[in-house]
Amino acid sequence: MPEILEIEYYRLLAEGALEREIASVHVDRYAGKMNTPGLRPADIFPGLSFLTARRKGKLLLLDTEGPTFGMRFGMTGGLLLDGLATIDRLEYGPGRYEDKWVRASVTFVDGGSLLLHDPRRLGRILVDPDEDALGPDGFTLTLKEFREALTARGEGPALKARLLDQSKIAGVGNLLADEMLWRAALDPRRGCATLNDAETKRLHRHVRSTLTQLFDRGGSHTGDLMAERHPGGACPKDGQALFRDTVGGRTTWWCPKHQK
Ligand SMILES: [Zn+2]
């Protein structure tokens, strides 16, 4: 699944779509599902141009002089600009292109295009999406914001579940959450409100550094733990056999020896 790092690559690609007049927009019935009836991207965006390419968590935001063109990429969504794809970098993408998987397209007056390519049909095009429903972005998350994100009644939900909660921290997906907790030596099942101050600071540091390091390496699937996410996998730090269970609704791998 594209996580925050992949959407940041898409955002960089989408910068090439700025300041180009939009000729037409097509959004299929899957990608258009979440829009208010009557609010059709095909009617709204022609004649406008994208002015800025922003991102909040896994949501890509292309602002115009009118409404904002929002893109969600679901499980397998990729972005193509003028035929150039970043989808080959996607561990969870199909690794190939097919016309029938194009769910939405923006064609520019100059003849180029911006496409949402998505075999699983969970990607969405949104007119003026609700950005306030998302927590602070993982890339720029401050320690103060992180402390607030971990606040909960009692022990709170599992750390892993809280890291995945997009309304608390925007952008972290399954692979990144496991990698961050493994690096920070914290058990993913721990209540998110049970961390002491040193642990909170340590996890915050690893949230930030894991994102910047894996962004440079090439994506969410480039973590140190990735190669060991299989039965018989061992901790790259200490060789301990990894545990696997469902935490926060997702398959989670962790080391029972050093993650406490
Ligand atoms: Zn270990």
Side-chain angles (χ1 to χ4, degrees), residues 218-248:
S220 305
H221 59 284
T222 61
D224 298 331
L225 196 58
M226 189 66 199
E228 301 300 326
R229 294 176 66 94
H230 59 80
C235 174
K237 275 185 191 168
D238 51 42
Q240 177 73 35
L242 295 176
F243 274 4
R244 178 184 66 176
D245 203 351
T246 301
V247 184

Side-chain angles (χ1 to χ4, degrees), residues 26-28 31 69 71 102-106 114-117 125:
H26 177 261
V27 178
D28 80 0
F69 187 88
M71 302 184 80
V102 174
R103 307 295 171 193
S105 59
V106 175
L114 184 76
L115 310 179
L116 168 65
H117 179 268
I125 300 300

Side-chain angles (χ1 to χ4, degrees), residues 11-21 49-54 61-63 81 108 110:
R11 191 194 68 73
L12 290 167
L13 182 70
E15 288 191 336
L18 303 182
E19 311 283 354
R20 297 166 67 178
E21 188 182 341
S49 304
F50 298 133
L51 301 177
T52 49
R54 293 183 293 125
L61 298 152
L62 302 173
D63 300 310
L81 177 68
F108 300 104
D110 61 24

Side-chain angles (χ1 to χ4, degrees), residues 1-15 53-62 69-80 86-87 89-92 114 116-118 122-124 134 137-139 166 170-173 176 211 214-215 218-221:
M1 184 187 302
E3 300 191 23
I4 187 170
L5 304 179
E6 284 70 33
I7 311 305
E8 179 61 15
Y9 298 134
Y10 295 171
R11 191 194 68 73
L12 290 167
L13 182 70
E15 288 191 336
R54 293 183 293 125
R55 184 188 53 70
K56 190 166 187 190
K58 300 183 225 178
L59 179 64
L60 180 63
L61 298 152
L62 302 173
F69 187 88
M71 302 184 80
R72 287 194 177 284
F73 296 89
M75 301 281 287
T76 57
L79 190 72
L80 287 90
T86 47
I87 49 170
R89 306 178 70 159
L90 262 188
E91 189 76 355
Y92 287 83
L114 184 76
L116 168 65
H117 179 268
D118 183 19
L122 294 168
R124 299 287 179 262
L134 295 168
D137 187 75
F139 259 107
Q166 301 298 301
V172 178
L176 287 172
L211 291 177
L214 270 52
F215 180 81
S220 305
H221 59 284

